[in-house]
Amino acid sequence: MIFSFKTINEMTGREAFCVERLRNEVFVSEQKIIVPEIDDEDFYAVHVFTLNKSKDNALATCRIFKEKSGAWYLGRVVVSKDARGMHLGSKMVEEVHHYLKENGVDRLYCHAQMTAKPFYDYLGYQVKGSIFNEAGIDHVLMYTDL
């Protein structure tokens, strides 16, 4: 599976549509999150994604961005219902790790939903701090050294 790494300005309209549709399907329709799914980080983030063969749906996507503090964050990690169980999420995050390491980044943070914590544990992430609520869902700050 090939993952694309593109800023919003580099994405085609089709790619941006497919990525946003998948994020909305998972975060809004499945998880019932009511805060806006699109935010200003999308302007500055590198969007990582793979589309299906007909290029009309994203199978997996996430975004990475650098905060003003200089810390890099992983977020909006989703895999489509049709592609779950194919290990696309872990393959995608591993490619993100490789990409960031090649670009001189040595640590990556994420706000992990508690239901997704085992996924991040498997990928070698460590918990930093206590559980907090974000958009009505319990999360924990996690990080990995690259």
Side-chain angles (χ1 to χ4, degrees), residues 30 38 44 58 104:
E30 282 183 40
I38 297 174
Y44 311 105

PDB file of all heavy atoms in Angstrom, residues 30 38 44 58 104:
ATOM      1  N   GLU A  30     -19.808   7.919  12.959  1.00  0.00           N
ATOM      2  CA  GLU A  30     -19.610   6.773  13.863  1.00  0.00           C
ATOM      3  C   GLU A  30     -19.470   7.192  15.316  1.00  0.00           C
ATOM      4  O   GLU A  30     -20.121   6.635  16.188  1.00  0.00           O
ATOM      5  CB  GLU A  30     -18.354   5.984  13.468  1.00  0.00           C
ATOM      6  CG  GLU A  30     -18.514   5.083  12.285  1.00  0.00           C
ATOM      7  CD  GLU A  30     -17.239   4.287  12.005  1.00  0.00           C
ATOM      8  OE1 GLU A  30     -16.571   3.826  12.962  1.00  0.00           O
ATOM      9  OE2 GLU A  30     -16.924   4.128  10.818  1.00  0.00           O
ATOM     10  N   ILE A  38     -13.053  19.793  10.676  1.00  0.00           N
ATOM     11  CA  ILE A  38     -12.000  20.543   9.993  1.00  0.00           C
ATOM     12  C   ILE A  38     -11.573  21.687  10.911  1.00  0.00           C
ATOM     13  O   ILE A  38     -12.408  22.349  11.505  1.00  0.00           O
ATOM     14  CB  ILE A  38     -12.518  21.116   8.655  1.00  0.00           C
ATOM     15  CG1 ILE A  38     -12.907  19.987   7.711  1.00  0.00           C
ATOM     16  CG2 ILE A  38     -11.487  22.019   8.014  1.00  0.00           C
ATOM     17  CD1 ILE A  38     -13.562  20.470   6.430  1.00  0.00           C
ATOM     18  N   TYR A  44      -1.934  23.671   7.738  1.00  0.00           N
ATOM     19  CA  TYR A  44      -0.498  23.548   7.923  1.00  0.00           C
ATOM     20  C   TYR A  44      -0.013  22.105   7.996  1.00  0.00           C
ATOM     21  O   TYR A  44       1.185  21.855   7.906  1.00  0.00           O
ATOM     22  CB  TYR A  44      -0.087  24.286   9.210  1.00  0.00           C
ATOM     23  CG  TYR A  44      -0.682  25.668   9.248  1.00  0.00           C
ATOM     24  CD1 TYR A  44      -1.756  25.971  10.078  1.00  0.00           C
ATOM     25  CD2 TYR A  44      -0.203  26.662   8.399  1.00  0.00           C
ATOM     26  CE1 TYR A  44      -2.321  27.236  10.077  1.00  0.00           C
ATOM     27  CE2 TYR A  44      -0.764  27.930   8.393  1.00  0.00           C
ATOM     28  CZ  TYR A  44      -1.821  28.210   9.233  1.00  0.00           C
ATOM     29  OH  TYR A  44      -2.385  29.458   9.220  1.00  0.00           O
ATOM     30  N   ALA A  58     -11.076   7.306   0.485  1.00  0.00           N
ATOM     31  CA  ALA A  58      -9.840   7.100   1.233  1.00  0.00           C
ATOM     32  C   ALA A  58     -10.006   5.834   2.070  1.00  0.00           C
ATOM     33  O   ALA A  58     -11.071   5.595   2.641  1.00  0.00           O
ATOM     34  CB  ALA A  58      -9.560   8.299   2.133  1.00  0.00           C
ATOM     35  N   GLY A 104      14.364  14.780  10.317  1.00  0.00           N
ATOM     36  CA  GLY A 104      15.010  15.316  11.505  1.00  0.00           C
ATOM     37  C   GLY A 104      14.153  15.435  12.749  1.00  0.00           C
ATOM     38  O   GLY A 104      14.566  16.040  13.732  1.00  0.00           O
TER      39      GLY A 104
END
